[in-house]
Amino acid sequence: MALRFCSPRFLVFVFLVSAIPIAYIISEERAEPTNHVFHYHSSGFFRECAKWDDQGRRFLASFLEGGVGEIHVPEDYTPGVILQEKTVVKDFDLAGNSSLGIAVDSPRNRLLVVVADVLRNRYSALAAYDLSTWNRLFLTQLSGPSDEKSFADDVAVDADGNAYVTDAKASKIWKVGVNGEFLSVIRNPLFTPKEWYKSLVALNGIVYHPDGYLIVIHTFSGNLFKIDLDKGEEVKLIEVDGGSLVFGDGLELISPTKLVVAGNPSGRLVESSDGWETASVVAKFKGPVHRLATAATVKDGKVYLSHLVGMGYPKKTHALVEAVF
């Protein structure tokens, strides 16, 4: 039997099967993009989330290997020029953990960064950094080895500076105060689907709506939730028609009535006309699927999707792709 797996015919079969996706990726990478793309060189293959910081004229990107980088976009930027990533956060006391969801808190001139032990789910935390000096303002541990397994994933900040961090493992939301004090945990039976496999990746992307509530997506079920902070953190399932939101990842609210969901496919545009009691998927965007879209951000009124995977060696090239709906 072992000899069969070493036969020339079998080896040729393996080569052909593996060559198909490689050929597809090469063709996708060589194809001329139809929409605008910011490409940037990085030292790492994986970038979990990117957000635009308008005051600093830069994209900020979280590193799956831990840390944060900035990609400055000059005023006289020439389309097609490859930008450069500069590391601005690398905390040695957090080594072995990933930096995941980030949120630019402009009124307080800080960046909120979710930190988690991705492989073992034994540590979750929220850190805050000054956007000018990159000094760490606080580090709040959300879970540790003696707690239930958790996976802090994404973060949103409300008008008062409180932060809300999703747990993609245990289907809950941590609330952290403006100065880093741990406040509470939001749990609800609606967060847990009946099918066990739909909880493999649970609560994920989260945004704060200016009307005083959170919108959160559950990745494997595709459920979208509204959490009313003015009504005792009341949780409602948003009724969504027009398409599925399964595999939804990062969220970006581009207006009070429009929400972008990054994920599979690359991006979906969701609209609501009744305060997010109900909503509809009104458009879809397909970008470089092989790069895996994980987050969305807005620059100069345009939506850009950031992607997990960078291509190339030794310099890894990452893509921030304009999503046109």
Side-chain angles (χ1 to χ4, degrees), residues 265-287:
S266 300
R268 285 158 280 191
L269 180 63
V270 185
E271 291 188 2
S272 175
S273 59
D274 59 3
W276 294 95
E277 296 293 315
T278 64
S280 299
V281 179
V282 297
K284 297 179 182 179
F285 170 77
K286 183 180 179 182

Side-chain angles (χ1 to χ4, degrees), residues 62-221:
S62 59
F63 302 171
L64 201 63
E65 68 270 25
V68 175
E70 67 174 5
I71 303 97
H72 181 67
V73 181
E75 292 277 1
D76 58 351
Y77 167 75
T78 301
V81 171
I82 298 179
L83 303 170
Q84 302 298 319
E85 175 191 270
K86 174 186 175 183
T87 300
V88 292
V89 171
K90 197 69 175 179
D91 291 334
F92 293 104
D93 59 339
L94 294 175
N97 294 293
S98 297
S99 299
L100 301 166
I102 59 176
V104 178
D105 186 9
S106 296
R108 282 156 283 274
N109 192 47
R110 63 182 187 173
L111 181 73
L112 300 176
V113 181
V114 174
V115 180
D117 174 2
V118 172
L119 296 179
R120 298 178 300 168
N121 305 144
R122 304 307 292 168
Y123 181 82
S124 290
L126 178 68
Y129 301 89
D130 185 281
L131 282 169
S132 301
T133 64
W134 291 110
N135 290 331
R136 192 165 74 190
L137 304 176
F138 65 75
L139 175 66
T140 303
Q141 182 171 326
L142 303 174
S143 70
S146 62
D147 301 313
E148 66 176 340
K149 285 194 173 184
S150 299
F151 182 0
D153 193 284
D154 202 3
V155 60
V157 59
D158 68 18
D160 297 323
N162 299 308
Y164 302 84
V165 181
T166 55
D167 183 349
K169 179 71 175 179
S171 291
K172 63 180 183 288
I173 298 171
W174 293 282
K175 182 178 181 179
V176 177
V178 64
N179 296 314
E181 63 276 22
F182 179 82
L183 296 179
S184 62
V185 176
I186 302 173
R187 297 180 186 267
N188 193 281
L190 290 176
F191 294 158
T192 306
K194 294 180 180 179
E195 302 87 345
W196 65 269
Y197 55 87
K198 289 185 178 179
S199 291
L200 292 176
V201 182
L203 298 183
N204 197 330
I206 184 170
V207 292
Y208 172 75
H209 193 283
D211 288 342
Y213 50 86
L214 304 170
I215 300 175
V216 189
I217 193 162
H218 188 287
T219 293
F220 269 28
S221 71

Side-chain angles (χ1 to χ4, degrees), residues 233-301:
E233 299 171 348
E234 175 188 69
V235 178
K236 289 184 178 180
L237 176 65
I238 300 172
E239 297 181 14
V240 179
D241 62 23
S244 171
L245 296 180
V246 171
F247 300 129
D249 197 338
L251 305 181
E252 182 75 6
L253 197 66
I254 60 176
S255 80
T257 61
K258 294 181 180 180
L259 177 76
V260 173
V261 180
N264 180 33
S266 300
R268 285 158 280 191
L269 180 63
V270 185
E271 291 188 2
S272 175
S273 59
D274 59 3
W276 294 95
E277 296 293 315
T278 64
S280 299
V281 179
V282 297
K284 297 179 182 179
F285 170 77
K286 183 180 179 182
V289 178
H290 60 287
R291 284 181 176 264
L292 302 178
T294 54
T297 191
V298 175
K299 177 188 181 297
D300 299 330

